[in-house]
Every structure is written in structure tokens, then in C-alpha cells.
Amino acid sequence: MGRLDGKTVVVTGASSGIGLAIAKLLGAEGGNIVLNGRQRENMDAAAKEIEAAGGKAVVQPGDVTEEKVVIGLVDTAVETFGALDVMVNNAGYNPFDPVINGGVYAKWKETLDVNVLALALGCREAVRVMQGKGGHIVNITSVAARSAEPDDPMYAASKHAAGALTESLRLALEGKNIRMTAIMPGAVATNLVRSMPEEQLFALGRMLGVDPEEAGIKPGEHLPQEMLDRVATMGKAFVMSPEDIAQAVLFAVTMPESAHVNEIMMRPSQPLQMPGMNLPA
Ligand code: NDP
């Protein structure tokens, strides 16, 4: 018997990294999972894995910065499985942009659209169907919700906003049987770094012992599995795994009724240092 048997969960950003790990773990615990991201491949594989273990999963690709996509995710959960119990607003983008000195406006906009507005939409839509029934909304923010990031100010601004939204809605929903949890991770080995400037991304690859050209590292695209595997084996103390964060989500959503986990902040055992780059810590 799983800890989420019969519960329905929507996970945004489930095609990669933390969201993919959350979808798999909550699916393995018996949850009916609706997976959203833009690239289908990993989600189809995860859905197969969940179904092979006796669970249920629906893959619904789409861009969460489009209002109708987020509305559609929640409607699909209710139409397919009868209710929405857990909404995980996880999709995120890191611009690695300095704002000053050549900062790119389009990247700032994408950051706020994905990390703040899509998350707010996810909350609004989840509450629409949870009202009167209860439920749990989990927002993946970041340690950057609590720190200033001189190399990445718009990311920090977006995560502060996401944190403020989560806490404000938690208060607004108090006593209504809808819980809100903010999970604030530090460095996790995922594809988030794909939007780093090429020079930094390649330097990260080299630091991990991966030749950027041979391995086929391409800025903006999912990283070669070899690079993520290297982080997992070489950098364990410096970088958490997506599965670590998934465990925190499972913990929050399976607490007894008497306890409401508002926030979880988690960091790697040792801070990650990268020459020439201040990373969120
Ligand atoms: P990944 O890049 O591995 O995953 C990000 C996910 O978000 C992908 O599934 C991606 O989809 C999806 N996504 C991005 N933009 C959109 C969009 N417009 N519409 C739909 N899906 C979208 O990074 P992480 O797993 O690391 O990131 C997950 C969350 O964790 C983010 O909110 C991030 O800010 C947060 N976080 C990450 C940390 C880290 O060190 N990695 C630390 C703290 C917080 P696709 O790939 O299909 O385009």
C-alpha cells in the first residue's frame, strides 16, 4: 500500500530534474499523476514506469505561461481521476542574467512568467477545485527566496515573489483545509543550469571532468546524461539529488492532519563553489 493511494497529483515541470523525481516518487506511492512539461520524452517514460508499478499517469505537455494550459492541467486531473489532492508548482527557469551589464529583457520576462505568474495560476486553479474538499499545494521556490544573488538578481526576485505568494496564500487559506508548503532547495543536480552563458556552462562541464564538445553540451537544451551522472557521483556532498527534494515533498504531503508543514529549506551538506560565479547558497 502506498502513502498516496487514490490521491491525484499534478506536477508541473515534470519532464526533468526535480519535477520528474517528484512525479516518479509520488506515483510509486500510489498517486494518480498528471505530468506537465514541454518536452514529452521523459514524461512518457516516467508514466510507463508509474503504470508498470500499478499506478496511473497522464502526460499533458504544454507551456505553463499560457493560462489555458494550467487550467487544462487541473481540469484533466478532475475529469480523469475525480479530484485534485496535491498541486506541485515546480516548473522553473533560471536566466543566469546579471540585469546590469548586458542583461537581456526577454530572459527577465520568462523568469517572472514561469517562476511567479505560472505558479500563481497553478495556485488559483488548484484552489478552484480544492475548495470545500481540501487539498495541498506545494510550491518549489529556492534558497534564493531568502538571499540576494548578485549574479542572478531576477532569479532571486522571482523566488522572493514566489515565496511571498506562497506565504500570503497560506494565510488566506488558513482554516479552509487547503495547505500550502514552500520547498526551498539549494543546489540540486538538474538541467536548470542549461540556461547559463555558454562559457560558464562549459566551465561547469570541465569542472566535472566532462569535455563540453565531446559530450555535446548545448546551452538551452537538456544536458547530456553523462554530465548529470558526474554530478551525482562526484559532487554528492556539494549538490543534492532531485530525489532528495522529492522526499521533502512526500514528507510534507503525508503529514498527519494535526501538522501543516509551511516551509522546508534544504541545502547540500557543503556549499558548492564555482570560480567566477556566486551560486544561490
Ligand atoms: P530543470 O531545468 O531540470 O527542470 C525545469 C522543469 O520546468 C522542466 O521540466 C521544464 O520543462 C519545466 N519548464 C520550464 N519552463 C516551462 C514552461 N514555460 N512550461 C512548462 N514547463 C516548463 O530544473 P530543476 O528541476 O532544477 O527545476 C525545478 C524547480 O526547482 C524550479 O522551480 C527551480 O527554480 C527550482 N530549484 C532548482 C534548484 C537547482 O539547483 N536545480 C535549486 C532551487 C530551486 P522542459 O525541460 O520540458 O522545457
Side-chain angles (χ1 to χ4, degrees):
M1 227 181 93
R3 283 178 278 178
L4 291 173
D5 277 349
K7 302 280 186 197
T8 298
V9 182
V10 169
V11 185
T12 68
S15 63
S16 171
I18 295 170
L20 183 59
I22 294 169
K24 285 183 184 177
L25 181 65
L26 272 49
E29 286 289 344
N32 307 315
I33 314 293
V34 179
L35 299 96
N36 159 266
R38 289 170 300 186
Q39 301 183 42
R40 198 164 179 139
E41 202 183 336
N42 287 340
M43 296 194 287
D44 282 338
K48 273 197 190 128
E49 212 176 285
I50 292 166
E51 280 163 2
K56 293 182 187 142
V58 172
V59 174
Q60 193 154 320
D63 184 332
V64 289
T65 64
E66 288 176 38
E67 190 175 6
K68 65 176 188 301
V69 168
V70 182
I71 295 170
L73 288 174
V74 168
D75 285 345
T76 295
V78 175
E79 283 157 20
T80 313
F81 300 116
L84 174 63
D85 300 288
V86 179
M87 177 82 194
V88 185
N89 293 304
N90 162 78
Y93 169 73
N94 188 330
F96 294 99
D97 179 282
V99 172
I100 51 174
N101 299 330
V104 180
Y105 181 76
K107 290 186 175 183
W108 311 348
K109 197 164 177 318
E110 181 168 358
T111 309
L112 297 176
D113 278 351
V114 181
N115 298 358
V116 184
L117 299 183
L119 178 135
L121 277 176
C123 293
R124 184 191 75 188
E125 290 309 301
V127 170
R128 170 171 66 87
V129 298
M130 287 174 178
Q131 249 157 0
K133 298 186 174 121
H136 200 140
I137 300 170
V138 179
N139 290 340
I140 309 297
T141 67
S142 168
V143 290
R146 292 282 164 77
S147 56
E149 307 297 341
D151 288 333
D152 211 359
M154 196 56 74
Y155 185 69
S158 74
K159 293 299 185 177
H160 275 71
L165 254 162
T166 309
E167 179 60 6
S168 303
L169 294 178
R170 183 186 71 74
L171 292 170
L173 293 166
E174 251 178 3
K176 296 193 167 71
N177 196 25
I178 301 177
R179 296 167 176 215
M180 297 283 310
T181 301
I183 310 268
M184 295 179 273
V188 186
T190 72
N191 280 301
L192 198 69
V193 291
R194 69 182 119 152
S195 45
M196 271 182 175
E198 183 175 279
E199 193 185 296
Q200 279 172 15
L201 187 58
F202 282 15
L204 181 63
R206 280 189 217 100
M207 202 171 94
L208 293 163
V210 174
D211 181 284
E213 317 231 308
E214 247 174 51
I217 298 174
K218 291 197 185 72
E221 293 185 16
H222 284 190
L223 300 167
Q225 191 56 41
E226 178 192 355
M227 186 161 158
L228 294 173
D229 291 345
R230 281 293 176 111
V231 182
T233 51
M234 291 174 64
K236 248 182 203 152
F238 305 99
V239 188
M240 293 178 285
S241 75
E243 291 72 26
D244 296 333
I245 315 306
Q247 288 292 346
V249 174
L250 180 64
F251 167 79
V253 301
T254 54
M255 287 299 277
E257 264 181 40
S258 52
H260 178 172
V261 177
N262 301 166
E263 298 179 340
I264 297 178
M265 183 175 273
M266 48 202 299
R267 292 189 168 89
S269 305
Q270 294 174 42
L272 178 70
Q273 304 291 346
M274 222 188 119
M277 175 94 201
N278 291 309
L279 291 169

